[in-house]
């Protein structure tokens, strides 16, 4: 491995001068800097990350804690795009990202906090997990900089999709299409579900829209089998709904299959609505009506806030950053006159 001492010998300058040139110090002339950098590159020099970490007390590595109930991992359409944006933003600022090991069956299992310290992460982003898991709580209470996505803790920065406005806009859109018999299959209990469900009921009240109890069902996010079954239950009602809202776009596919199995057409016989705005929904026939979340902005904001917290801990505001989505009209909601 080529060292700074090797470069100093090749260039005929001191090791201190090489170090200043490679770190772009202003007290070295541009011509000298360029010569030293060119020589270092030709010799195959790369700075040692371990040495840099000792000098700066940073690893420039961010931890990602991400587990979803369906165990879909990076196949999770929504969070895959969020994390891709997080990764791109972090890399632009010189940081790498590493996933915290979440496998509960591995040997010598470390807690999330122990793993974060073992890897020396400068900070951690937490997304799509049981936020009430004691291991997660220990990590959140630690001295490691933490940013959460779609969950709010005291004294921690949170990047939140505007689920209240999103559900209000979505239900209002369906209402304006003439629908009055609207069912909602919501996700399992979580902060996100609570926000969406409360907003659903509040918006319905404002619209003077009656929602029978039998129109409200529960199914896990991304669980197409459960939404298939819940959709069948709704279709079997004596007074079935004219439109069904689903927990997310992926889960809506189960409901769509149940509707088609009955020989019904979308949106002529019944309308369907998703949530998230994943790309595959735009390639369905008919295109899925949904609330398109801004995954790029959610991921970018998470990275920006975490890096600010790491680099400027005394001046970075601990705040809740709310990211709005927008209704994608699609063609799966028909008009009722």
């Amino acid at each position: 491995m080529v060292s700074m001492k090797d470069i100093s010998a090749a260039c005929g300058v001191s090791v201190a001068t090489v170090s200043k040139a490679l770190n772009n110090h202003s007290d070295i002339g541009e011509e000298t800097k360029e010569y030293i950098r060119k020589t270092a590159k030709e010799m195959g020099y790369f700075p040692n990350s371990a040495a840099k970490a000792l000098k700066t007390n940073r690893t420039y590595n961010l931890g990602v804690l991400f587990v979803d109930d369906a165990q879909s991992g990076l196949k999770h359409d929504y969070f895959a795009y969020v994390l891709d944006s997080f990764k791109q933003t972090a890399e632009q600022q010189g940081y790498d990202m590493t996933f915290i090991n979440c496998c509960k069956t591995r040997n010598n299992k470390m807690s999330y906090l122990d793993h974060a310290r073992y890897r020396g992460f400068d900070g951690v982003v937490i997304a799509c997990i049981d936020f009430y898991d004691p291991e997660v709580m220990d990590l959140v209470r630690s001295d490691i900089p933490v940013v959460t996505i779609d969950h709010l803790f005291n004294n921690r920065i949170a990047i939140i999709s505007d689920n209240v406005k999103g559900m209000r806009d979505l239900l209002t859109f369906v209402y304006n299409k003439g629908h009055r018999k609207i069912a909602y299959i919501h996700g399992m209990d979580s902060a996100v579900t609570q926000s969406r469900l409360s907003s659903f009921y509040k918006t319905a009240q404002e619209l003077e829209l009656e929602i029978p109890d039998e129109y409200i069902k529960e199914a896990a996010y991304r669980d197409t089998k459960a939404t298939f079954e819940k959709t069948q239950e709704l279709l079997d009602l004596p007074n079935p709904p004219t439109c069904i809202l689903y927990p997310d776009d992926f889960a809506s596919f189960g409901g769509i299959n149940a509707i088609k199995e009955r020989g019904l057409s979308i949106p002529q016989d019944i309308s369907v609505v998703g949530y998230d705005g994943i790309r595959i929904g735009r390639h369905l026939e008919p295109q899925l009506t949904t609330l398109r979340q801004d995954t790029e902005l959610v991921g970018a904001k998470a990275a920006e806030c975490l890096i600010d917290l790491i680099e400027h801990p005394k001046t970075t505001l601990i705040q809740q950053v709310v990211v709005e989505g927008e209704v994608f009209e699609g063609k799966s909601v028909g008009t009722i006159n």
Side-chain angles (χ1 to χ4, degrees):
M1 183 180 291
V2 177
S3 67
M4 287 192 187
K5 187 175 181 181
D6 298 326
I7 299 169
S8 72
C11 294
V13 297
S14 68
V15 173
T17 299
V18 172
S19 176
K20 288 181 178 181
L22 296 178
N23 288 287
N24 199 30
H25 285 208
S26 58
D27 56 344
I28 303 292
E30 288 301 322
E31 189 175 331
T32 302
K33 281 185 194 176
E34 184 60 33
Y35 173 61
I36 292 172
R37 289 172 181 166
K38 183 173 181 292
T39 303
K41 184 176 181 180
E42 289 172 349
M43 294 177 69
Y45 171 78
F46 290 97
N48 186 294
S49 61
K52 186 179 180 182
L54 286 172
K55 184 177 179 181
T56 63
N57 202 30
R58 278 199 223 137
T59 61
Y60 292 89
N61 194 10
L62 306 177
V64 176
L65 181 54
F66 168 71
V67 186
D68 70 296
D69 292 337
Q71 300 297 316
S72 53
L74 288 179
K75 297 187 290 292
H76 192 299
D77 317 78
Y78 171 72
F79 279 104
Y81 285 107
V82 169
L83 294 177
D84 183 64
S85 176
F86 178 89
K87 177 176 179 289
Q88 289 184 40
T89 305
E91 287 177 346
Q92 287 167 6
Q93 298 193 45
Y95 286 79
D96 295 321
M97 61 177 257
T98 302
F99 285 92
I100 293 177
N101 195 332
C102 299
C103 177
K104 297 293 185 182
T105 60
R106 67 186 185 279
N107 295 327
N108 302 318
K109 186 185 93 66
M110 294 182 184
S111 70
Y112 298 145
L113 176 57
D114 289 341
H115 192 195
R117 285 182 171 150
Y118 172 72
R119 292 293 182 186
F121 295 135
D122 293 331
V124 173
V125 63
I126 306 177
C128 194
I129 196 168
D130 176 5
F131 286 96
Y132 300 104
D133 182 329
E135 285 194 20
V136 175
M137 299 296 287
D138 286 344
L139 178 56
V140 169
R141 293 191 189 107
S142 75
D143 57 357
I144 297 173
V146 166
V147 168
T148 60
I149 294 178
D150 277 340
H151 191 85
L152 189 61
F153 285 109
N154 289 331
N155 302 318
R156 287 299 190 182
I157 294 173
I159 314 300
I160 305 288
S161 295
D162 197 338
N163 290 293
V164 172
K165 183 178 183 298
M167 180 53 69
R168 182 173 66 245
D169 291 349
L170 207 51
L171 183 55
T172 301
F173 172 79
V174 172
Y175 180 89
N176 289 338
K177 284 283 192 175
H179 291 270
R180 299 296 181 266
K181 297 192 291 183
I182 305 169
Y184 181 26
I185 303 175
H186 60 77
M188 304 296 281
D189 186 40
S190 69
V192 169
T193 299
Q194 290 168 12
S195 294
R196 292 182 189 175
L197 188 56
S198 295
S199 181
F200 177 84
Y201 277 122
K202 188 173 188 300
T203 304
Q205 184 181 49
E206 291 169 353
L207 295 171
E208 297 183 351
L209 185 63
E210 184 182 349
I211 306 294
D213 290 342
E214 59 266 27
Y215 276 16
I216 303 300
K217 303 287 184 180
E218 182 178 89
Y221 290 102
R222 302 188 91 256
D223 189 338
T224 55
K225 181 180 178 181
T227 50
F228 181 95
E229 293 170 354
K230 298 302 179 182
T231 300
Q232 287 183 318
E233 292 176 12
L234 289 170
L235 296 176
D236 286 336
L237 290 173
N239 187 24
T242 61
C243 181
I244 304 174
L245 277 60
Y246 288 91
D248 58 272
D249 293 345
F250 192 85
S252 75
F253 301 159
I256 290 169
N257 287 338
I259 290 166
K260 290 182 175 179
E261 189 177 274
R262 295 288 180 101
L264 301 174
S265 297
I266 302 170
Q268 290 83 0
D269 299 317
I270 188 167
S271 297
V272 299
V273 176
Y275 204 107
D276 284 343
I278 64 175
R279 291 188 180 182
I280 193 171
R282 285 170 246 165
H283 299 287
L284 294 179
E285 183 57 45
Q287 274 188 324
L288 184 64
T289 300
T290 186
L291 195 290
R292 183 188 290 169
Q293 302 205 66
D294 194 339
T295 54
E296 185 174 342
L297 187 57
V298 170
K301 283 292 183 184
E304 289 168 3
C305 288
L306 184 56
I307 291 169
D308 279 346
L309 191 59
I310 292 164
E311 298 185 351
H312 311 288
K314 292 182 179 179
T315 57
T316 300
L317 293 176
I318 304 302
Q319 60 183 322
Q320 179 179 342
V321 179
V322 180
V323 178
E324 292 185 6
E326 61 178 1
V327 174
F328 176 73
E329 294 190 13
K331 295 179 181 177
S332 64
V333 175
T335 301
I336 295 180
N337 298 317

